[in-house]
Amino acid sequence: MWQRHQHSQCIKEALSKAEQICIDHQCRLTPIRKKVLELIWKSHKPIKAYDLLAQLSSEDFIEKPPTVYRALEFLIDNNLIHRIESQNAYIGCNTDHETLDSKFLICDQCNEVEELSEPKINKTLSEISKKQGFIPSLVNVEIHGTCSQCAQH
Amino acid sequence: MWQRHQHSQCIKEALSKAEQICIDHQCRLTPIRKKVLELIWKSHKPIKAYDLLAQLSSEDFIEKPPTVYRALEFLIDNNLIHRIESQNAYIGCNTDHETLDSKFLICDQCNEVEELSEPKINKTLSEISKKQGFIPSLVNVEIHGTCSQCAQH
DNA sequence: TTAGTAATGTTATAGTATAACATTACGTAT
DNA sequence: ATACGTAATGTTATACTATAACATTACTAA
């Protein structure tokens, strides 16, 4: 689904984006938060909370669930990662969001996930909500299937 | 969000729909499956597996997790209920599905859920998937916000 | 009737997440 | 620099969600 590439670049970009956001939002990218964000980007696929936990503990970080869940909460609140609801897993966000929304293509073959940033989807969903008198505050779209790479094999 | 009404009618309809589907699919609406479906419709809001479990056990049904999870799996597979991923909860389906998709408006105030059956959403999502060479097999859309009823108060 | 499959029973455990309270670190006003 | 308030983390315990694995029972069709 994604081009093969060195992750180091996306990790770097993600971290510097995170730092900028923390300045803007007046909050702190503490070592734990930074480490969790880094691990999520390193994985490059959805990663589970307890897998993060295991990796943290193997690197001399504190390895208790609340630690990682707090970091995840922080990163989600600041739009630096998203939760893939259908997998109880977390993935980095490299998209600029004007609204609270996340939209994914999830390949059930290779488990790669691509985040969509198509305004058209938001527009359609927003129109339909409005038609029902519903005021949306947060949208989540998860499309499972087979990615182009996997479809060819 | 929904008009006030007697649930008895929707429960009846849901059950007879279920019976028809089981005939079509050559499977059985056993007492447990029927009871679980009934409880889900009685709730009329998303209901959790362990809440179903509690209600079952108070009615002389077997009250072990696998029982209820198996019934839930059966009902989901036959499109009689859906799982609300963002809530780990289950809700009845009164919609006819041509494809595997579920789309919800979820009111965070009153916790009512309305299932959408707008082909336009599927069309939009399908077009965008295709553009990426992605072959969708299952779509889930969860829109959180405030329903028209709650917005007025 | 009996053999094969579907469904359920049962025990145990895996996997996901949070509550509650204690402690430490940080930012800032004095 | 110091003291104070807030933010973040440490720590223990437990709640909540779901499934594996194997035994038993019920149904169906030859």
Coordinates of all heavy atoms in Angstrom, one line a residue, chain A residues 28 48 50 65-66 69-70 83 88 90, chain C residues 15-21 25-27:
Chain A
R28 N 3.4 19.7 26.8 CA 4.8 19.3 26.8 C 4.9 17.9 26.2 O 4.2 17.0 26.5 CB 5.4 19.3 28.2 CG 5.5 20.7 28.8 CD 5.5 20.7 30.3 NE 6.5 19.7 30.8 CZ 6.3 19.0 32.0 NH1 5.3 19.3 32.7 NH2 7.2 18.2 32.3
K48 N -0.6 -2.1 19.1 CA -1.5 -2.2 20.3 C -0.9 -1.6 21.6 O 0.4 -1.6 21.7 CB -1.8 -3.7 20.5 CG -2.4 -4.3 19.3 CD -3.5 -5.3 19.7 CE -4.4 -5.5 18.5 NZ -5.7 -6.0 19.0
Y50 N -0.5 -2.8 24.6 CA 0.3 -3.6 25.3 C 1.6 -4.0 24.6 O 2.6 -4.4 25.2 CB -0.4 -4.9 25.8 CG -1.2 -4.6 27.1 CD1 -2.3 -3.8 27.1 CD2 -0.7 -5.1 28.3 CE1 -3.0 -3.5 28.3 CE2 -1.4 -4.8 29.5 CZ -2.5 -4.0 29.5 OH -3.2 -3.8 30.7
P65 N 0.5 -0.1 32.6 CA -0.5 0.3 31.6 C -0.9 1.8 31.7 O -0.9 2.4 30.7 CB -1.7 -0.6 32.0 CG -1.1 -1.8 32.6 CD 0.1 -1.4 33.3
P66 N -1.1 2.3 32.9 CA -1.6 3.7 32.9 C -0.6 4.7 32.2 O -0.9 5.6 31.5 CB -1.7 4.1 34.3 CG -2.0 2.8 35.0 CD -1.2 1.8 34.2
Y69 N -1.3 4.3 28.4 CA -2.6 4.9 28.1 C -2.7 6.4 28.2 O -3.4 7.0 27.5 CB -3.7 4.2 28.9 CG -4.0 2.8 28.3 CD1 -3.6 1.7 29.0 CD2 -4.8 2.7 27.2 CE1 -3.9 0.4 28.4 CE2 -5.0 1.4 26.6 CZ -4.6 0.3 27.3 OH -4.9 -0.9 26.8
R70 N -1.9 6.9 29.2 CA -1.9 8.4 29.3 C -1.2 9.0 28.2 O -1.7 10.0 27.6 CB -1.2 8.7 30.6 CG -2.0 8.6 31.9 CD -1.1 8.7 33.1 NE -1.8 8.5 34.3 CZ -1.2 8.1 35.4 NH1 0.1 7.8 35.4 NH2 -1.9 7.9 36.5
R83 N -6.8 6.3 17.0 CA -7.1 4.9 17.4 C -7.9 4.2 16.3 O -8.9 4.8 15.8 CB -8.0 5.0 18.7 CG -8.3 3.6 19.2 CD -8.9 3.7 20.6 NE -8.9 2.5 21.3 CZ -9.8 1.5 21.1 NH1 -10.8 1.7 20.4 NH2 -9.7 0.4 21.8
N88 N -8.5 -2.0 18.1 CA -7.9 -1.6 19.4 C -6.5 -1.3 19.2 O -5.6 -1.7 20.0 CB -8.1 -2.7 20.5 CG -9.5 -3.0 20.8 OD1 -10.4 -2.3 20.5 ND2 -9.7 -4.3 21.2
Y90 N -3.3 1.7 17.5 CA -3.0 3.1 17.4 C -2.1 3.3 16.2 O -1.2 2.5 16.0 CB -2.4 3.6 18.7 CG -3.4 3.3 19.9 CD1 -3.4 2.1 20.5 CD2 -4.3 4.2 20.2 CE1 -4.3 1.8 21.5 CE2 -5.2 4.0 21.3 CZ -5.2 2.7 21.9 OH -6.1 2.5 22.9
Chain C
dG15 P -3.2 -12.6 24.5 OP1 -3.0 -12.9 23.1 OP2 -2.0 -12.4 25.4 O5' -4.2 -11.4 24.7 C5' -5.4 -11.4 23.9 C4' -6.1 -10.1 24.2 O4' -6.6 -10.2 25.6 C3' -5.2 -8.8 24.2 O3' -6.0 -7.9 23.3 C2' -5.2 -8.4 25.6 C1' -6.5 -8.9 26.1 N9 -6.6 -9.1 27.6 C8 -5.8 -9.8 28.4 N7 -6.3 -9.8 29.7 C5 -7.4 -9.1 29.6 C6 -8.3 -8.7 30.6 O6 -8.3 -9.0 31.8 N1 -9.4 -7.9 30.2 C2 -9.5 -7.5 28.8 N2 -10.6 -6.8 28.5 N3 -8.7 -7.9 27.9 C4 -7.7 -8.6 28.3
dT16 P -5.4 -6.5 23.0 OP1 -5.8 -6.2 21.6 OP2 -4.0 -6.4 23.4 O5' -6.3 -5.6 23.9 C5' -7.7 -5.4 23.7 C4' -8.2 -4.4 24.6 O4' -8.1 -5.0 26.0 C3' -7.5 -3.1 24.7 O3' -8.4 -2.1 24.4 C2' -7.0 -3.0 26.2 C1' -7.9 -4.0 26.9 N1 -7.4 -4.6 28.1 C2 -8.1 -4.4 29.3 O2 -9.1 -3.8 29.3 N3 -7.6 -5.0 30.4 C4 -6.4 -5.7 30.4 O4 -6.0 -6.2 31.5 C5 -5.7 -5.9 29.2 C7 -4.4 -6.7 29.1 C6 -6.2 -5.3 28.1
dA17 P -7.9 -0.6 24.4 OP1 -8.9 0.2 23.6 OP2 -6.5 -0.5 24.2 O5' -8.2 -0.2 26.0 C5' -9.6 -0.4 26.4 C4' -9.6 0.1 27.9 O4' -8.9 -0.8 28.7 C3' -9.0 1.5 28.1 O3' -10.1 2.3 28.4 C2' -8.1 1.3 29.3 C1' -8.5 -0.1 29.9 N9 -7.4 -0.9 30.5 C8 -6.3 -1.4 30.0 N7 -5.5 -2.1 30.8 C5 -6.3 -2.0 32.0 C6 -6.0 -2.6 33.2 N6 -4.9 -3.3 33.5 N1 -6.9 -2.4 34.2 C2 -8.0 -1.7 33.9 N3 -8.4 -1.1 32.8 C4 -7.4 -1.3 31.8
dT18 P -9.8 3.8 28.8 OP1 -11.0 4.6 28.4 OP2 -8.5 4.3 28.5 O5' -9.9 3.7 30.4 C5' -11.0 3.1 31.0 C4' -11.0 3.1 32.5 O4' -9.9 2.2 33.0 C3' -10.6 4.5 33.1 O3' -11.6 4.7 34.1 C2' -9.2 4.3 33.7 C1' -9.2 2.9 34.0 N1 -7.9 2.2 34.1 C2 -7.6 1.5 35.2 O2 -8.3 1.4 36.2 N3 -6.3 0.9 35.2 C4 -5.4 1.0 34.2 O4 -4.3 0.5 34.3 C5 -5.8 1.8 33.0 C7 -4.9 1.9 31.9 C6 -7.0 2.3 33.0
dA19 P -11.8 6.1 34.8 OP1 -13.0 6.7 34.4 OP2 -10.5 6.9 34.7 O5' -11.9 5.7 36.4 C5' -12.3 4.4 36.7 C4' -12.0 4.1 38.2 O4' -10.8 3.5 38.4 C3' -12.0 5.4 39.0 O3' -12.5 5.1 40.3 C2' -10.5 5.7 39.0 C1' -9.9 4.3 39.1 N9 -8.6 4.1 38.4 C8 -8.2 4.6 37.2 N7 -6.9 4.3 36.9 C5 -6.5 3.6 38.0 C6 -5.3 2.9 38.2 N6 -4.2 2.9 37.4 N1 -5.2 2.3 39.4 C2 -6.2 2.2 40.2 N3 -7.4 2.8 40.1 C4 -7.5 3.4 38.9
dA20 P -12.8 6.3 41.3 OP1 -14.0 5.9 42.1 OP2 -12.7 7.6 40.6 O5' -11.5 6.2 42.3 C5' -11.0 5.0 42.7 C4' -9.8 5.2 43.5 O4' -8.6 5.0 42.7 C3' -9.6 6.6 44.2 O3' -9.2 6.4 45.5 C2' -8.6 7.3 43.3 C1' -7.7 6.1 42.9 N9 -7.0 6.2 41.7 C8 -7.3 7.0 40.6 N7 -6.4 6.9 39.6 C5 -5.4 6.1 40.1 C6 -4.2 5.6 39.6 N6 -3.7 6.0 38.4 N1 -3.4 4.8 40.4 C2 -3.9 4.5 41.6 N3 -5.0 4.8 42.2 C4 -5.7 5.6 41.4
dC21 P -9.3 7.6 46.6 OP1 -10.1 7.1 47.7 OP2 -9.7 8.9 45.9 O5' -7.8 7.8 47.0 C5' -7.0 6.6 47.3 C4' -5.6 6.8 47.0 O4' -5.3 6.9 45.6 C3' -5.1 8.2 47.6 O3' -3.9 7.9 48.4 C2' -4.7 9.0 46.4 C1' -4.3 7.8 45.4 N1 -4.2 8.2 44.0 C2 -3.1 7.6 43.3 O2 -2.3 6.9 43.8 N3 -3.0 8.0 42.0 C4 -3.9 8.8 41.4 N4 -3.7 9.1 40.1 C5 -5.0 9.4 42.1 C6 -5.1 9.0 43.4
dA25 P 11.6 14.1 40.4 OP1 12.6 13.5 39.6 OP2 12.0 14.9 41.6 O5' 10.8 15.1 39.5 C5' 10.3 14.5 38.3 C4' 9.7 15.7 37.5 O4' 8.5 16.2 38.2 C3' 10.7 16.8 37.3 O3' 10.5 17.2 35.9 C2' 10.2 17.9 38.2 C1' 8.7 17.6 38.3 N9 8.0 18.0 39.5 C8 8.3 17.7 40.8 N7 7.5 18.1 41.7 C5 6.5 18.7 41.0 C6 5.3 19.4 41.3 N6 4.9 19.5 42.6 N1 4.5 19.9 40.3 C2 4.9 19.7 39.1 N3 6.0 19.1 38.6 C4 6.8 18.6 39.6
dC26 P 11.3 18.4 35.3 OP1 11.6 18.0 33.8 OP2 12.4 18.7 36.2 O5' 10.3 19.5 35.3 C5' 9.1 19.3 34.5 C4' 8.2 20.6 34.6 O4' 7.8 20.7 36.0 C3' 9.0 21.9 34.3 O3' 8.4 22.5 33.2 C2' 8.9 22.7 35.6 C1' 7.8 22.0 36.4 N1 7.8 22.0 37.9 C2 6.7 22.5 38.6 O2 5.8 23.0 38.0 N3 6.8 22.5 39.9 C4 7.8 21.9 40.6 N4 7.8 21.9 41.9 C5 8.9 21.4 39.9 C6 8.9 21.5 38.5
dG27 P 8.8 23.9 32.7 OP1 8.4 24.0 31.3 OP2 10.1 24.3 33.2 O5' 7.7 24.8 33.5 C5' 6.3 24.8 33.2 C4' 5.7 26.0 33.9 O4' 5.8 25.8 35.3 C3' 6.3 27.3 33.5 O3' 5.3 28.2 33.4 C2' 7.2 27.6 34.7 C1' 6.5 26.9 35.9 N9 7.3 26.4 37.0 C8 8.5 25.8 36.9 N7 8.9 25.4 38.1 C5 7.9 25.8 39.0 C6 7.8 25.6 40.4 O6 8.6 25.1 41.2 N1 6.6 26.1 40.9 C2 5.6 26.7 40.1 N2 4.6 27.1 40.7 N3 5.7 26.9 38.8 C4 6.9 26.4 38.3

